[in-house]
Structure formats: structure tokens, C-alpha cells
């Protein structure tokens, strides 16, 4: 039996997440620490950062410490009609985070579902993401969006790339004031501008967001809205339904994702610890015909959560000397540890050590 008190928060998370994913038929996926550099260069638009650690193999091939897991899973899979590849992983990736200038080893856990993806698979992935967060923290939220709805409205508004990037930034920041200004700047017609305003203000309670989306009344997005309605009803039947919200500011990486996307947050961490969604565009770019959905959890960010400090470093400080009966001391320590206590055997009281009580075996009659 492993004493959970000895495990770091991210180590506990890996164990519980692995158990959760196996229940739903996901199999473990293990990969090397490095891949051919060309894989990442051909698909650098999908990476968080294109700064990659490289080195030459003994045969002269240029290799890279992996900055991403999903690309390797796609590369090493194949399209089989009627089959869904369901895998989970916990791997370290090596890259420069957006908030840093330095390379960092980042611990990730996550899962991927690749194949003939349907609405059930989307539901399963979204709810597994929420349940993953619930295993890490009691206080969490999962924000779900639909990028295809956003794509349709942005294309209708203006085909200027500068407009698109500025509008997406405003939507991600829920900045209605600047969104209106940008629409005026690029001569977006009033009707389409109002659709964008609906999206930037559509977040929170899922039923209310759906009612807002219905106001857009555009045939091009009606199927997407119907999918969200069905997805929401299915989520309502789960134990985590009250923690899942619709939020169109959750745009994630629009080079990487399409369709349903989501971000997860837990109390005590300043940024999202989970990111995921559909990534059919990336599959197509890499020559795959299958669809795909998945998510990653950034376990290194759990370090931001303040662990509850124990009042003591150990429960019992056991003091002994050269005259102490070692066999008797060993029996005493075994007795204390088996009762659930932590024990440190010392010949003197260590400076700075906090303990609940002392057992002094120097005073025992020999």
C-alpha cells in the first residue's frame, strides 16, 4: 500500500487519472523522449512554441526533444474503418512556455480519441475532462466553446486576416467595447457585428448561452447549435453538470482546434490547467482521414496550489545512543510506524525539526 502523504500532488493525479481513463477503454500510450526534428518543423503552426531543443543522432539524423505528444500519436497511428484509437498518456514535453523565455520540462497527462468521431465521443471526452479536474480539485470549472460557430461568423464579417486576429483577441478577453471599435474600423455590417457581440457576451449558464445563440439565426451554424443543445442535455445527466459552462471566449489555439473546444480551471492556479478539443484540421494536414478529439492536463501547474502545511515535520522524534538496545529500538519504531505515525531516529535533536513528541530510548534501563 502506497502512503499518499508521500506523493506529490502531480504524482497522485497521474495515478487517479490513469484509473479513470482505463474505465472508459483508453489504453496507455508510451513514446520516446525524442522524434525526428522534421516532424515538428512540418507542423510548427500547431505548436505552442517553435523553439525546439535539437541534437544529432549517431547516424547524423537531426532529432528533437518532444515539444508535443499529439503529433507523435497522429504520426504513429493509422486510419482503420470503424475503429477508434483511444489512448491516454503521461509524458514530459520540452518547450518554451508562452509566459517564459526559457526551456522548461513540462509534465502532461491526457488522452486522445481518433477515428470515426461522433457526438457521443465528444460528450465522453468533455465529461472525462471535467471528471479529471474533479480528481485534482473539488473547486473547478470546464468552459466549452464551438470554434466552427466562431469561424462562420468571422468569415461573414470580414475576410481580412488582421480583422480576424484582432476580433479573436477581443472575444478571448470578453472585450465588447474594442470589438465594436474593430467592427467599425473594418466596415463590418451591423447585422454581422451584432452576431459577434452575441458571441462575446455568451458565457456562463449553458441554457442561457444556447438561447443567445438562437438569436443569431444563421442556417450555417444551426447544426452546430443543435449539437451543443444535445451535448448540454447529456452533460446535465452527469454528476459534474453544474461545473461545465459554455463560453465563446474559450478560443484556444485556432490553428490547432476546430469544432468543440474546452479549457479547464481549478482554484489556486492562475491559468487553465487543461486544454482540449477537436483537431480534425491537424489530422488532415498530416495526411490522416480520421477525425480526432482529446485534451492535455499540465500537471506542472499544480505546483501553484498551496499544499496544506503540516504542523509537524514528523510525529515522533526517537532519541537513542550507543548503549540503546538496537533490537528493542527497531521493534519500537516498527510499532509506531505501523500505527500510522512518522518517526525519525536521531542521537540528538536536529535543529529546526518540528515534532509532536519525543520517545527517548536513552533513558531505558539496559
Amino acid at each position: 500500500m502506497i502512503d499518499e502523504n508521500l506523493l506529490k500532488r502531480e504524482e497522485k493525479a497521474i495515478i487517479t487519472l490513469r484509473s479513470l481513463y482505463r474505465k472508459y477503454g483508453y489504453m496507455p500510450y508510451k513514446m520516446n523522449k525524442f522524434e525526428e526534428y522534421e516532424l515538428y518543423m512540418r507542423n510548427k503552426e500547431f505548436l505552442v512554441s517553435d523553439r525546439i531543443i535539437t541534437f544529432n543522432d549517431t547516424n547524423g539524423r537531426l532529432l528533437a526533444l518532444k515539444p508535443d505528444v499529439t503529433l507523435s500519436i497522429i504520426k504513429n497511428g493509422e486510419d482503420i474503418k470503424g475503429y477508434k484509437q483511444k489512448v491516454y498518456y503521461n509524458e514530459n514535453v520540452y518547450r518554451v512556455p508562452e509566459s517564459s523565455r526559457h526551456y522548461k520540462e513540462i509534465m502532461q497527462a491526457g488522452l486522445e480519441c481518433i477515428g470515426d468521431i461522433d457526438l457521443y465521443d465528444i460528450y465522453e471526452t468533455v465529461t472525462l475532462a471535467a471528471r479529471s479536474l474533479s480528481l485534482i480539485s473539488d473547486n473547478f470549472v470546464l468552459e466549452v466553446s464551438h470554434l466552427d460557430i466562431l469561424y462562420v461568423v468571422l468569415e461573414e464579417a470580414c475576410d481580412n486576416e488582421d480583422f480576424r486576429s484582432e476580433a479573436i483577441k477581443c472575444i478571448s478577453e470578453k472585450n465588447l467595447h474594442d470589438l465594436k471599435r474593430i467592427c467599425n474600423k473594418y466596415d463590418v455590417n451591423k447585422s454581422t457585428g451584432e452576431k459577434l457581440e452575441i458571441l462575446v457576451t455568451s458565457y456562463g449558464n449553458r441554457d442561457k448561452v444556447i438561447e443567445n445563440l438562437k438569436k443569431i439565426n444563421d442556417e450555417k451554424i444551426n447544426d452546430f447549435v443543435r449539437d451543443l443543445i444535445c451535448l448540454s442535455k447529456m452533460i446535465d445527466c452527469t454528476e459534474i453538470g453544474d461545473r461545465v459552462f459554455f463560453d465563446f471566449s474559450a478560443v484556444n489555439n485556432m490553428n490547432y482546434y476546430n469544432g468543440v473546444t474546452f479549457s479547464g480551471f481549478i482554484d489556486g492556479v492562475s491559468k487553465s490547467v487543461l486544454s482540449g478539443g477537436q483537431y480534425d484540421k491537424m489530422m488532415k494536414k498530416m495526411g490522416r482521414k480520421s477525425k480526432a478529439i482529446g485534451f492535455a492536463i499540465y500537471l506542472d501547474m499544480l505546483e501553484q496550489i498551496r499544499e496544506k502545511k503540516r504542523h509537524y515535520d514528523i510525529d515522533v522524534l526517537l532519541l537513542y545512543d550507543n548503549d540503546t538496545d538496537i533490537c528493542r529500538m527497531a521493534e519500537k519504531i516498527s510499532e509506531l510506524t505501523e500505527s500510522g505515525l512518522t518517526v525519525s531516529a536521531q542521537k540528538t535533536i536536529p535543529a529546526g525539526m518540528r515534532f509532536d513528541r519525543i520517545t527517548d530510548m536513552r533513558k531505558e534501563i539496559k
Side-chain angles (χ1 to χ4, degrees):
M1 178 80 63
I2 297 175
D3 184 354
E4 290 194 0
N5 291 321
L6 302 178
L7 298 176
K8 294 181 179 179
R9 184 180 291 269
E10 54 267 34
E11 293 171 332
K12 293 179 186 178
I14 288 172
I15 293 171
T16 54
L17 293 173
R18 183 184 300 138
S19 176
L20 171 65
Y21 304 152
R22 287 302 299 266
K23 288 179 182 177
Y24 287 83
Y26 288 79
M27 303 303 292
Y29 182 88
K30 187 67 180 175
M31 61 180 291
N32 292 326
K33 290 185 181 295
F34 40 84
E35 281 271 11
E36 291 191 24
Y37 176 68
E38 184 183 0
L39 169 67
Y40 302 118
M41 278 300 90
R42 286 200 312 265
N43 302 284
K44 62 182 179 180
E45 68 268 30
F46 299 125
L47 300 176
V48 174
S49 170
D50 60 3
R51 297 171 65 183
I52 301 170
I53 301 173
T54 61
F55 62 96
N56 287 312
D57 198 359
T58 53
N59 61 6
R61 288 187 309 162
L62 187 60
L63 301 179
L65 284 174
K66 63 178 185 287
D68 180 89
V69 176
T70 304
L71 287 172
S72 293
I73 294 175
I74 296 172
K75 174 195 170 189
N76 295 308
E78 58 180 322
D79 298 313
I80 302 174
K81 188 176 181 180
Y83 171 73
K84 294 172 188 174
Q85 181 188 14
K86 293 187 172 185
V87 298
Y88 71 87
Y89 62 86
N90 58 271
E91 296 279 349
N92 290 335
V93 296
Y94 308 85
R95 61 182 180 226
V96 179
E98 292 179 346
S99 58
S100 173
R101 296 181 180 179
H102 306 287
Y103 286 105
K104 187 175 181 182
E105 183 178 32
I106 301 170
M107 185 184 296
Q108 277 188 195
L111 59 79
E112 312 291 346
C113 181
I114 300 173
D116 185 14
I117 303 301
D118 56 26
L119 187 59
Y120 172 78
D121 298 303
I122 295 172
Y123 156 79
E124 182 177 88
T125 307
V126 169
T127 52
L128 281 174
R131 290 186 173 112
S132 298
L133 293 171
S134 74
L135 293 175
I136 296 170
S137 172
D138 293 331
N139 195 357
F140 73 93
V141 295
L142 186 73
E143 297 178 348
V144 179
S145 181
H146 200 304
L147 289 188
D148 287 345
I149 293 176
L150 182 56
Y151 284 135
V152 168
V153 179
L154 285 173
E155 286 179 3
E156 180 184 329
C158 182
D159 60 3
N160 185 297
E161 283 297 321
D162 291 335
F163 163 78
R164 174 173 157 165
S165 62
E166 291 178 43
I168 289 172
K169 185 174 186 295
C170 289
I171 291 170
S172 68
E173 296 172 350
K174 297 184 174 70
N175 187 341
L176 179 59
H177 178 269
D178 281 347
L179 181 63
K180 289 180 177 179
R181 177 182 58 79
I182 290 166
C183 286
N184 289 331
K185 174 183 173 182
Y186 289 92
D187 296 322
V188 175
N189 69 64
K190 182 179 179 182
S191 174
T192 308
E194 288 174 352
K195 293 178 183 180
L196 285 171
E197 290 174 22
I198 289 173
L199 291 181
V200 81
T201 56
S202 292
Y203 55 88
N205 179 275
R206 284 180 275 116
D207 291 336
K208 290 182 179 178
V209 171
I210 288 170
E211 289 306 310
N212 273 344
L213 293 177
K214 289 178 179 178
K215 295 175 185 177
I216 294 178
N217 193 26
D218 188 325
E219 289 186 3
K220 293 180 181 179
I221 71 167
N222 286 345
D223 286 344
F224 303 139
V225 175
R226 280 193 288 268
D227 285 346
L228 284 180
I229 292 171
C230 185
L231 177 63
S232 185
K233 288 179 179 178
M234 295 170 74
I235 292 172
D236 281 337
C237 298
T238 69
E239 79 286 359
I240 44 79
D242 62 339
R243 298 301 183 93
V244 181
F245 302 90
F246 285 161
D247 189 339
F248 277 81
S249 69
V251 296
N252 289 354
N253 183 341
M254 294 185 71
N255 288 323
Y256 196 111
Y257 294 110
N258 64 282
V260 172
T261 62
F262 42 90
S263 297
F265 301 83
I266 61 175
D267 186 42
V269 181
S270 57
K271 294 184 178 181
S272 63
V273 299
L274 182 151
S275 180
Q278 296 175 257
Y279 51 93
D280 303 343
K281 291 193 303 182
M282 185 166 69
M283 293 287 290
K284 185 176 181 180
K285 169 72 165 47
M286 294 184 67
R288 298 285 302 275
K289 297 178 181 178
S290 298
K291 297 182 178 180
I293 185 170
F295 61 82
I297 305 169
Y298 307 108
L299 296 173
D300 61 301
M301 296 186 70
L302 303 187
E303 296 173 0
Q304 295 183 31
I305 301 175
R306 293 181 179 178
E307 297 279 2
K308 293 181 179 179
K309 291 185 177 180
R310 296 184 58 183
H311 189 60
Y312 303 113
D313 298 317
I314 57 166
D315 298 311
V316 180
L317 173 63
L318 187 145
L319 295 176
Y320 71 102
D321 57 25
N322 293 334
D323 294 325
T324 302
D325 184 333
I326 300 299
C327 291
R328 170 71 187 121
M329 185 177 79
E331 289 175 2
K332 184 65 176 177
I333 292 174
S334 178
E335 175 189 324
L336 291 169
T337 56
E338 286 180 7
S339 69
L341 299 175
T342 57
V343 184
S344 179
Q346 303 279 352
K347 289 187 176 181
T348 60
I349 298 177
M353 177 180 283
R354 299 171 301 172
F355 47 87
D356 183 31
R357 68 175 189 264
I358 291 179
T359 294
D360 193 345
M361 297 195 71
R362 299 172 303 182
K363 297 178 180 179
E364 290 191 355
I365 298 174
K366 312 296 189 292

